[in-house]
Amino acid sequence: MKRRDDMNMFEFLHEELKAEIFEKLPVKTLVRCTSVCKPWNFLIKDSAFIRNQSKITRSHAPLALCFRHYFNYELRVNQSDTHYVSLNNPDPEICRIQDFPLAHYSEHFWLTGSVNGLLCVVGDDYEEKSDELSRPQTLILWNPSIQKSMILPNPNLLFHTRCLVGFGYDSRSDDYKLLKMINFYDSAGFRSVAEVFSLNSGSWKIMDSRSIPHCEICYVPGSQAIVNGIIHWHFRKDKCNMLLGFNVTDETFQEIDMPEDLTSPSIDPLALDVLAYNDSTVGIVFRERQRNDVLNHLWIMKDYGVSSSWIKVFTMAGIGRRLYPWSRIGVSTLIGWFGQELFYSRDPENIIFGINLVNGQVRCHDFLSGKSCTFITSYVESLVLLNR
């Protein structure tokens, strides 16, 4: 019989103390620990443990998740790769992930955003399109850090029409939810309908039509910004640009006025992007073409929820000494934001550069250049989906 001092003393610790020790370990280490023994597997896959571990990782400096989709000329196929990297370090360490969950090589998909290390991938059957607006066909939740994904059941609303998909987290019920909203015309005229998927229930629920604003979805895929548990998009109502908010917890909508300069029907909604600014309020980027140049206007809602508090922070020109040493940036596409930086790509070299939202400074990210980068967002490693 083994003496007590020869045995694993860790097993004699209180369960709460064990959980505190495990919560401080890296995600990859925790995944390996699930194979050590059944008690460890049970503890690490417990919903409360995963929730607490996510809270701890959110308090750390986030990583930048960079998703790239490009054509491999040697293999003659479309390929995808994903990296996450700490852009706050002067010498960034890049971690590459290979397991993009869409097995096919279609280029028609997008990522809606990152919530607690979980991403929503929206695939689309482009072959059946009758116009330029995308219609989601495949919805996947993907956690790159644990290399696990799940395909969601088909929604109830399968109309081939304009569609918006939003993804957020309900902190009250520890639930991840997707909103699918579509526009269509029938004998009664223009209408909007919506449904919500709950990860906890594993099913879709059609919303009461009386609670849904009849707004026009003008863009795909568009951008979303999560502030105070509310997902924000820009949309059109009565031919004017506005913001639409969806409270993930209460499953209610709210409409927010944009700056007066941006509400005009003459402002192309495809030139607008909404972002979360300092995790406390929303901002809007307006890309305005003037002759052979592109101006980037950044507007911030100084007091969240107060429409009169919109202020223009700066206007960044594609030509000018503020972008030195590049004499001409040639902005083509906003591909995301991280911390206080907006990321753009410059064609045709696919050079990725970031504009600091506070001081207007620009820096080139050489390690991301060379292939088309389609998506950048803030990211934290987590165990979400490990127990599903």
Side-chain angles (χ1 to χ4, degrees), residues 44-58:
I44 295 170
K45 291 184 177 180
D46 180 71
S47 297
F49 178 85
I50 292 175
R51 181 173 60 251
N52 291 334
Q53 193 273 342
S54 294
K55 290 180 181 178
I56 292 173
T57 55
R58 286 201 302 269

Side-chain angles (χ1 to χ4, degrees), residues 107-372:
E107 59 180 312
H108 305 289
F109 57 84
W110 70 90
L111 291 84
T112 64
S114 172
V115 182
N116 294 342
L118 198 61
L119 289 91
C120 176
V121 183
V122 184
D124 181 66
D125 186 2
Y126 190 78
E127 300 297 327
E128 298 182 1
K129 288 184 179 183
S130 59
D131 56 37
E132 73 282 4
L133 293 164
S134 185
R135 298 178 296 271
Q137 303 292 325
T138 305
L139 296 168
I140 300 175
L141 294 183
W142 176 37
N143 186 334
S145 58
I146 62 172
Q147 300 186 19
K148 187 169 182 178
S149 61
M150 63 180 293
I151 299 176
L152 303 188
N154 290 331
N156 300 298
L157 305 173
L158 296 176
F159 297 99
H160 283 214
T161 183
R162 303 182 180 193
C163 177
L164 175 149
V165 175
F167 175 54
Y169 175 64
D170 176 1
S171 58
R172 187 167 65 191
S173 59
D174 187 30
D175 194 8
Y176 294 85
K177 297 179 180 179
L178 272 77
L179 170 75
K180 179 178 180 181
M181 184 174 177
I182 66 173
N183 293 158
F184 68 95
Y185 290 88
D186 60 12
S187 57
F190 174 84
R191 286 202 294 158
S192 297
V193 292
E195 61 182 326
V196 176
F197 174 84
S198 161
L199 183 58
N200 285 351
S201 68
S203 61
W204 292 89
K205 175 183 64 178
I206 297 179
M207 298 185 65
D208 187 339
S209 60
R210 294 170 296 182
S211 66
I212 303 169
H214 296 303
C215 57
E216 182 181 1
I217 301 168
C218 303
Y219 61 95
V220 172
S223 57
Q224 70 169 42
I226 300 178
V227 178
N228 302 325
I230 299 174
I231 311 173
H232 302 81
W233 307 268
H234 62 278
F235 71 103
R236 280 201 172 185
K237 185 174 183 180
D238 299 327
K239 297 183 179 180
C240 294
N241 295 315
M242 298 185 70
L243 289 182
L244 175 67
F246 178 71
N247 189 309
V248 180
T249 299
D250 299 335
E251 297 183 5
T252 56
F253 290 95
Q254 66 183 59
E255 298 175 18
I256 303 173
D257 291 330
M258 279 191 180
E260 188 174 347
D261 290 359
L262 303 181
T263 59
S264 170
S266 64
I267 300 292
D268 185 354
L270 294 175
L272 299 172
D273 284 284
V274 59
L275 63 132
Y277 187 78
N278 286 341
D279 296 324
S280 60
T281 189
V282 290
I284 299 174
V285 177
F286 170 45
R287 297 180 305 283
E288 180 184 19
R289 292 193 175 275
Q290 288 191 357
R291 297 179 181 176
N292 296 323
D293 199 6
V294 177
L295 301 179
N296 292 270
H297 308 277
L298 174 64
W299 293 78
I300 298 297
M301 181 179 275
K302 190 175 180 181
D303 300 315
Y304 178 77
V306 181
S307 299
S308 60
S309 68
W310 283 106
I311 58 172
K312 183 188 285 190
V313 178
F314 65 68
T315 295
M316 180 70 66
I319 301 174
R321 70 185 173 177
R322 294 189 72 185
L323 294 187
Y324 180 84
W326 300 281
S327 61
R328 188 180 187 86
I329 286 296
V331 170
S332 59
T333 308
L334 173 66
I335 56 176
W337 49 87
F338 171 79
Q340 296 178 331
E341 276 190 292
L342 286 175
F343 287 86
Y344 288 89
S345 63
R346 185 178 75 177
D347 293 333
E349 302 94 339
N350 289 324
I351 294 175
I352 308 301
F353 62 92
I355 300 177
N356 190 294
L357 300 179
V358 176
N359 56 31
Q361 293 181 349
V362 178
R363 62 172 173 167
C364 179
H365 297 280
D366 295 327
F367 60 89
L368 295 177
S369 301
K371 293 186 177 72
S372 178

